[in-house]
Each structure stands twice: as structure tokens, then as C-alpha cells.
Amino acid sequence: MARSLNFRQLEAFRAVMLTGGMTPAGKLLFISQPAVTRLIRDLEADLGLALFVRRHTQLVATEEAHRLYREVERYFSGGDRIREVARTLRETRDGQLHIGAMPNLVATCLPGVVSRFLLDYPNVVVSIHSDSSTNLMAMLLHGQLDLALAIPPDTLPDLEHDVFAPMEAVCIIPPAHALAQHRVINVTDLHQQDFVSLGVHSTLRMRLNALMHELNVQPRVRLETAHSSTVAAYVREGVGVAVVDSFAAMGPGSEGLVVRPLKPDIAVRFCALYRHSKQALPMARAFAVTLRDALDEGKHHLSQAMSS
């Protein structure tokens, strides 16, 4: 029966991969170079693999070593994560709140919301994970998140949730662009206009494309970008106009751009979905309330900007 791998051997292997040599690896681990060499030789013998070869004076990792390193790094990352959780449990009374959110929320609204939330919960460590709504739902169902801020499926699973007010899509425009003079942008106004489009997996893009197809509107797509939070930078550089959700228009990246309502309306709805947890649920709900308040303020400021 194969014996278990020696942790010290794996530690030495990782140190050599990180530093590129036996001597610097020894310094990293506070052991001698011969001790590192011996650990690596023992590991190679146990695995039946050649992990490093000498080319002149240079130590070169083999292809097998690179593939093994990816797995070893996952192992050490898991250990680091366990130590971090333990440290958090020691140093905080209230523990952690694991939040998953769509990238547009993470890049725009959440920094300010987290800051407000921590004023009321100074002993909580907030962990933010950015991903698609589909992946966030899966993580919540598997107990990896306490709160998911996501666009829900048509049929919600059996989860506690709160529905936020719909966020309307808006058009963002460079100040010198002809469309900046319009008080409202109709989808038909986008015909043959240079356009910055969201990525193919965007729910907003799918709905906008369906509307454009129905109205026979064909903008000149000059650029596609995955997240609405990055669109404003390209619009500011004159690449084209864009249609984004209100989150992106509220963000600091849209400063200096003209924001106009889009007609017909396209509303983006999203929910706060909660994991069943006696400890985390009250904090998750409190965070959702803080987010709702911030969005209400942001929508008010955005409404003023669109009417100016």
C-alpha cells in the first residue's frame, strides 16, 4: 500500500517552485540547501517522477512538476483558508458574512454599502464573491454563501428572499455626442449609431437584442465587454453609446457622461436570497436593508442627473 505523502516534502517542493532554486527555497523554509535537496529527492522517489532537471547551472521544473504544482497549490490554499477562518473566529465575536453578488454590483454599489454595514457590525468580517447569477445561486444552495444578490430564475427555489425594486436600463452617452441633446433615448435612436455592447451572457443584452430585432434596429457594434461596470470607460473615450443597468450608471465610472432614460423600458430585477443559518441570517437581512437604502439614494441622484 502506498504511504501517505510527507507534508515537509510537499512544502519543500512548493518552495522550490516559488523561488526557482534549492538554496532560496531553503532560506524561505529556514532550512539548509542539502535538506531541501534531500526532501525533493525523497518526494521524487515516492512519486516515481522526475520533478527537476539541471541545465548547466539552472534548475528547471519538468512538465510533471508544473502539473503537480497546481494541485499542491490548491492543497496549501485550502490550508491557508482554514487558518484564516480560524483567525477570524478567534478575533471576532460575530464571525463572517459570505456575500455573493453580480459583478456590476460589486464594482459600483457594494463598497459604500459594506462601509455603512460595518459601522453597525464592527465585529463582522465581510467576504465578497463576484460571479454570475447562475453560479451564485448554486453556491448559495451548497452552503457556500450566506447571501446572494442575483437575478433570480423564473422559478425561485425554496429559499428565503427579498425582491428589490426593478432597476431600469439607461443609455450613457459622451457629452459631445448628438444623442446627448435628447431628453429620452428611444431604442430606434440607436440605429446605425456606434455602440458599446455588453457580453453575450448578459441578460440585459439579450432583452435589448430582442427589442432591437423587433424594431429592426441595427447599431454599429464597435466593442463588446463582459460587465456593465466597464462600459463607461469606453463610452467616455468616444467608442460609442451604450445601454447599461442603473447600477453601472450610479457608479463613479459614469461621472462626466450624459445619462438618459431608455424607451421602451427594460427593467432588471434582482433579489436578495438567504441561506438558512441562525447566526448569519439576521446579518444577511441587515446587509440587504443597507443595500436597499443605498440603491434608493442612488436612484434618486440618478433621476436628478437624467432630468438635468
Side-chain angles (χ1 to χ4, degrees):
M1 185 175 67
R3 65 178 182 178
S4 299
L5 290 176
N6 181 293
F7 172 79
R8 197 62 170 161
Q9 293 172 359
L10 295 177
E11 192 175 40
F13 169 72
R14 181 178 185 241
V16 174
M17 292 294 290
L18 289 171
T19 62
M22 301 290 184
T23 300
K27 292 179 180 178
L28 184 65
L29 299 175
F30 298 100
I31 60 177
S32 68
Q33 177 267 323
V36 175
T37 301
R38 185 171 58 254
L39 288 167
I40 295 300
R41 285 177 179 168
D42 289 346
L43 179 62
E44 290 178 321
D46 287 347
L47 296 177
L49 294 172
L51 300 176
F52 300 97
V53 295
R54 282 274 176 197
R55 290 182 184 165
H56 305 295
T57 59
Q58 187 177 10
L59 188 68
V60 179
T62 63
E63 177 61 27
E64 290 81 4
H66 285 288
R67 293 172 63 180
L68 179 65
Y69 174 70
R70 288 194 288 269
E71 296 304 319
V72 169
E73 195 59 41
R74 290 192 188 100
Y75 170 77
F76 276 89
S77 296
D80 290 343
R81 178 63 185 151
I82 291 169
R83 282 191 288 271
E84 178 62 23
V85 170
R87 184 195 64 79
T88 299
L89 293 174
R90 287 195 308 271
E91 296 180 2
T92 66
R93 295 194 304 272
D94 297 327
Q96 282 189 291
L97 181 63
H98 296 270
I99 300 171
M102 300 173 290
N104 49 354
L105 267 176
V106 172
T108 55
C109 304
L110 284 199
V113 174
V114 170
S115 177
R116 291 189 193 186
F117 175 78
L118 291 177
L119 292 176
D120 295 325
Y121 290 84
N123 296 315
V124 172
V125 175
V126 177
S127 174
I128 300 290
H129 180 83
S130 175
D131 213 325
S132 67
S133 292
T134 302
N135 290 341
L136 293 176
M137 293 289 294
M139 292 179 68
L140 187 72
L141 291 169
H142 284 90
Q144 296 171 280
L145 299 174
D146 302 310
L147 169 64
L149 302 168
I151 298 173
D154 292 334
T155 303
L156 274 171
D158 184 23
L159 289 169
E160 291 190 57
H161 65 277
D162 292 317
V163 180
F164 285 82
M167 304 295 285
E168 302 293 337
V170 296
C171 188
I172 54 175
I173 309 162
H177 196 284
L179 289 181
Q181 303 305 314
H182 294 218
R183 306 307 300 174
V184 174
I185 302 299
N186 195 289
V187 170
T188 55
D189 295 327
L190 302 177
H191 186 66
Q192 292 301 301
Q193 295 287 345
D194 288 345
F195 193 72
V196 178
S197 176
L198 293 170
V200 294
H201 299 296
S202 164
T203 302
L204 175 55
R205 171 173 169 166
M206 293 177 193
R207 295 179 61 186
L208 179 62
N209 282 357
L211 188 56
M212 286 180 169
H213 180 74
E214 179 184 338
L215 298 174
N216 196 29
V217 173
Q218 298 179 359
R220 292 191 295 265
V221 176
R222 308 305 304 273
L223 177 81
E224 289 185 2
T225 182
H227 303 305
S228 59
S229 58
T230 64
V231 170
Y234 297 105
V235 173
R236 182 177 294 103
E237 293 299 324
V239 176
V241 301
V243 172
V244 297
D245 52 56
S246 299
F247 303 126
M250 290 177 189
S254 63
E255 292 176 358
L257 298 177
V258 175
V259 183
R260 292 290 182 254
L262 182 74
K263 298 295 179 183
D265 294 335
I266 302 177
V268 177
R269 71 186 188 102
F270 78 106
C271 289
L273 301 109
Y274 308 100
R275 179 172 71 90
H276 297 295
S277 166
K278 185 176 293 186
Q279 180 188 23
L281 184 57
M283 290 190 296
R285 288 196 179 280
F287 189 91
V289 169
T290 305
L291 173 60
R292 190 186 301 275
D293 291 343
L295 289 176
D296 287 343
E297 292 175 16
K299 289 171 75 173
H300 175 70
H301 293 315
L302 185 62
S303 178
Q304 290 182 321
M306 289 192 295
S307 62
S308 62

